[in-house]
Amino acid sequence: MSLTLPSPAKLNLFLHITGRRADGYHELQTLFQFLDYGDELTFTARTDRALVLSPPLPGVADADNLILRAASLLAQKYPQQASGVTISLNKRLPMGGGLGGGSSNAATTLLALNRLWRLHLTLDELADMGLALGADVPVFVHGFAAVGEGVGEQLTPANPPEDWFLVINPECNINTGKIFSADGLTRDTPRMTIAPAFEGDASRYRNDCEETVCELYPEVRKSLNWLSQFGPAKLTGTGACIFGRFPSESAARMIWESKPSGIKGFVAKGVNRSPLHQQLTELK
């Protein structure tokens, strides 16, 4: 049995840091929205109980690979049902881009193996397991646009406009720990009261990591300055990718076609229901 599923990107339409906890983690308020663009994973059942990623992800040890860690988490917890799997990854999302690629891969793996191995776990159970892999994994498991609080794992469904986005990848490797430990990082943005269904215009909010990232990585500032000529542009997550919002695909593609040589990125639509969950529903 084989199963092929999308692993979509996400944007942080805003990212506010509201405090720092005693354990060193930061308290956040952020708005997650999915994109109709991402990686793709194929899961093929095995009979020898092995967990194989083929081909391996260059530069990432198996022990650090969130796909294999997610598969191993389920296999260890449910050894009777776990028959082994070969996982093939078609990687489109840049690593370390702030688009949630690794977390999305982990969530797709949890949902795929839950189906392939007939574990019958609920989304809440899978999200709780996913949190051990990363704070962004639960939003991909649940599959709806959401306001994230806490370290990003406390989710309230949201309904931001499903606009089009131009995403630019400055192709630099940003160290998230370096950003969150920077002395100049804003950590005292006032908390907002957020309605259960967030429908406001997120363009008036900001990413508190943006200025620190731009100071440390000039190539991000250069891309941000270029995209800002055409409207508000922001960093997603701790970067490196930046995005601009457009009312239509044609408007986004017109700007994309005018880009200077050497700039990499893509055009995608914001969606409030994950493409992964849309496909899983169609498979039922």
Side-chain angles (χ1 to χ4, degrees):
M1 181 178 176
S2 185
L3 183 62
T4 298
L5 293 171
S7 183
K10 60 82 178 167
L11 293 177
N12 296 89
L13 298 184
F14 66 82
L15 175 59
H16 296 174
I17 304 175
T18 60
R20 194 174 192 175
R21 306 189 321 197
D23 61 7
Y25 286 95
H26 290 76
E27 292 281 343
L28 309 175
Q29 285 188 309
T30 188
L31 176 56
F32 295 107
Q33 189 177 41
F34 304 105
L35 297 177
D36 66 349
Y37 181 94
D39 299 334
E40 185 177 76
L41 291 94
T42 297
F43 303 83
T44 304
R46 301 171 63 103
T47 57
D48 60 2
R49 311 185 76 82
L51 307 175
V52 178
L53 180 62
S54 178
L57 200 55
V60 181
D62 286 353
D64 299 324
N65 189 294
L66 287 175
I67 297 170
L68 289 174
R69 287 178 61 195
S72 179
L73 195 62
L74 285 177
Q76 290 174 14
K77 194 171 180 64
Y78 302 97
Q80 298 304 316
Q81 296 99 313
S83 59
V85 66
T86 296
I87 306 171
S88 299
L89 171 65
N90 178 11
K91 191 69 179 166
R92 300 171 75 193
L93 299 177
M95 295 175 63
L99 299 173
S103 295
S104 182
N105 291 168
T108 296
T109 300
L110 291 172
L111 287 160
L113 295 183
N114 185 47
R115 178 180 289 253
L116 201 64
W117 292 342
R118 296 182 174 88
L119 302 179
H120 306 295
L121 300 173
T122 67
L123 291 182
D124 285 340
E125 290 172 319
L126 292 169
D128 286 344
M129 295 179 70
L131 184 57
L133 301 170
D136 286 352
V137 177
V139 73
F140 287 106
V141 169
H142 283 293
F144 53 77
V147 173
E149 299 184 272
V151 296
E153 88 290 2
Q154 299 170 20
L155 302 174
T156 301
N159 189 34
E162 293 185 320
D163 291 325
W164 285 84
F165 294 93
L166 171 52
V167 180
I168 299 296
N169 175 24
E171 290 194 298
C172 53
N173 188 10
I174 292 183
N175 185 313
T176 298
K178 185 177 180 180
I179 302 304
F180 276 116
S181 62
D183 291 339
L185 184 67
T186 299
R187 297 184 174 91
D188 58 356
T189 296
R191 289 180 57 81
M192 298 181 297
T193 300
I194 300 176
F198 183 90
E199 296 181 353
D201 178 8
S203 64
R204 68 182 185 272
Y205 303 117
R206 64 180 183 272
N207 183 330
D208 284 337
C209 297
E210 187 173 285
E211 187 55 37
T212 297
V213 170
C214 286
E215 287 178 4
L216 295 172
Y217 301 90
E219 54 268 61
V220 174
R221 187 183 297 279
K222 181 179 178 181
S223 294
L224 187 64
N225 288 342
W226 176 78
L227 191 54
S228 294
Q229 298 176 88
F230 310 103
K234 289 192 190 72
L235 186 79
T236 179
T238 55
C241 289
I242 60 173
F243 64 91
R245 181 197 300 268
F246 295 89
S248 66
E249 181 179 10
S250 59
R253 293 202 180 279
M254 182 172 66
I255 302 305
W256 174 240
E257 289 167 5
S258 73
K259 71 184 184 302
S261 62
I263 285 185
K264 294 188 176 182
F266 58 88
V267 171
K269 191 177 193 300
V271 291
N272 292 335
R273 189 179 182 215
S274 168
L276 168 61
H277 286 258
Q278 293 179 25
Q279 187 160 326
L280 284 171
T281 299
E282 293 168 2
L283 290 173
K284 288 182 179 177

